[in-house]
Amino acid sequence: MYEIEIITQIVVPLPVITLFLLLSFYVKKFLKNVKKNEKLAWTLIFIHPSAHKALKILTLTALIFNLGWALRSITDFFFIKIPFLGPATTYLVLIGLIYFFKTLVKITKEK
Amino acid sequence: MKESIKLFLKIFVISSIIFIPLEFIYYYVQDTYGIEASYYICWLTEDITFFVLGTISFVICLNFYKLLKAKEEISMIGFLLKPEEMTENSKLIYYASLFSGIGWSIYLIILSMFLDVIPNSINKRILEMIGDIFLFVSIFFAITILFTFNRWLKRLRKYV
């Protein structure tokens, strides 16, 4: 039992660290693209249909993330353990953020 | 740049305001009523915190999504009219993700360093303190999401 707990404590943060670092990489890249020509970059984002889609996906993942954490507290309180509910929703919202910024990088890179 | 750092510090202070009483209650109960009681209190206080944060963020995100879905043609204008604010928000997400990534890495490194000590329970407080990093970073990230979506929602509402 103790070993499982330790393994969980090590295995769960590994993807989170990778996703956080990947996210900071894409945001930095996006900020770099925006800095080159701010007006053009934002106009491109505005007219591109995939920007709206990516924002929608991001909001949905954020919704699931928040619902997951709220649900986790309720289930925990009633002594029902749902393993990986918290981490899984965290992975999801991070993937949503990465997808959003990746789309913005793609749009601003086009021109 | 300054605005995003200000926001980062604001979230940091809010996270600390939530985090410090949680820690204080936990260690106080542990010293006064023993380890069993402290685990129960820790469970209760942390669950309530995450439930409140999760529910508030859920409501904000739900409203944002509804607005986004109903006003497809106008929703991106909200961002376009204030591109500098969106840039600041992107910077905030950049700093927050870097901070969280570093925080989780430190948590993992310290945990790995003390792996041989933990099974013998030589110092149980070490394990608890490592867990504190995890808790603080989680609260910080949750509040960042809450803050970002709240700002986006406010901006969208203004233009719809």
Side-chain angles (χ1 to χ4, degrees):
Chain A
M1 187 67 193
Y2 187 80
E3 281 78 11
I4 293 171
E5 208 173 291
I6 289 291
I7 289 167
T8 312
Q9 274 182 325
I10 291 177
V11 169
V12 168
L14 274 174
V16 178
I17 293 167
T18 318
L19 289 171
F20 268 129
L21 295 180
L22 207 63
L23 173 63
S24 52
F25 168 75
Y26 278 117
V27 182
K28 187 81 190 163
K29 225 173 160 187
F30 166 67
L31 286 169
K32 224 177 176 180
N33 284 356
V34 166
K35 216 178 174 184
K36 276 180 200 160
N37 195 342
E38 203 160 352
K39 265 191 182 160
L40 179 69
W42 288 110
T43 313
L44 282 172
I45 291 166
F46 169 62
I47 54 169
H48 215 285
S50 57
H52 190 270
K53 192 183 139 203
L55 187 65
K56 238 178 176 177
I57 290 170
L58 171 66
T59 320
L60 265 178
T61 55
L63 258 178
I64 297 167
F65 168 71
N66 297 315
L67 190 69
W69 279 94
L71 259 179
R72 185 188 153 272
S73 319
I74 298 169
T75 52
D76 253 14
F77 195 74
F78 291 106
F79 303 102
I80 307 159
K81 280 262 171 201
I82 304 175
F84 300 115
L85 179 67
T89 51
T90 309
Y91 299 156
L92 199 71
V93 78
L94 283 172
I95 292 167
L97 276 165
I98 290 169
Y99 179 72
F100 178 65
F101 280 102
K102 207 179 163 189
T103 312
L104 296 192
V105 169
K106 229 170 143 187
I107 294 168
T108 46
K109 209 181 166 186
E110 275 172 9
K111 301 280 166 185
Chain B
M1 182 97 167
K2 268 183 186 170
E3 181 70 23
S4 53
I5 290 171
K6 250 191 220 168
L7 252 175
F8 180 88
L9 290 174
K10 202 174 169 184
I11 295 172
F12 193 86
V13 170
I14 293 170
S15 307
S16 306
I17 290 169
I18 296 171
F19 176 74
I20 291 166
L22 284 180
E23 285 301 287
F24 180 75
I25 293 167
Y26 177 72
Y27 288 115
Y28 174 75
V29 172
Q30 194 181 70
D31 290 340
T32 321
Y33 302 102
I35 199 136
E36 285 288 316
S38 70
Y39 279 151
Y40 183 71
I41 284 294
C42 169
W43 200 356
L44 200 70
T45 48
E46 276 178 24
D47 278 354
I48 290 169
T49 309
F50 280 113
F51 176 72
V52 172
L53 280 180
T55 312
I56 295 170
S57 312
F58 177 75
V59 172
I60 291 170
C61 288
L62 189 70
N63 282 327
F64 185 77
Y65 184 71
K66 271 187 191 165
L67 211 63
L68 208 62
K69 217 177 160 195
K71 304 273 179 184
E72 292 217 7
E73 72 291 344
I74 205 165
S75 55
M76 290 310 283
I77 297 175
F79 293 133
L80 187 75
L81 288 178
K82 290 253 181 171
E84 66 279 0
E85 256 188 45
M86 185 62 187
T87 312
E88 292 304 334
N89 287 346
S90 305
K91 275 180 191 163
L92 172 73
I93 291 172
Y94 171 66
Y95 293 132
S97 58
L98 212 59
F99 173 74
S100 303
I102 291 166
W104 280 76
S105 306
I106 292 170
Y107 162 70
L108 200 65
I109 290 164
I110 300 174
L111 191 74
S112 316
M113 273 164 61
F114 288 101
L115 259 187
D116 54 334
V117 181
I118 295 161
N120 304 322
S121 295
I122 289 173
N123 194 347
K124 228 173 162 28
R125 283 246 161 135
I126 293 174
L127 185 64
E128 287 165 359
M129 281 166 150
I130 299 166
D132 288 345
I133 302 172
F134 163 77
L135 176 68
F136 184 77
V137 172
S138 302
I139 292 174
F140 184 87
F141 186 65
I143 294 176
T144 307
I145 291 282
L146 197 152
F147 246 75
T148 312
F149 276 92
N150 194 28
R151 292 188 97 196
W152 288 356
L153 179 68
K154 267 186 194 166
R155 206 184 315 153
L156 269 188
R157 268 197 182 142
K158 227 190 234 174
Y159 297 111
V160 170

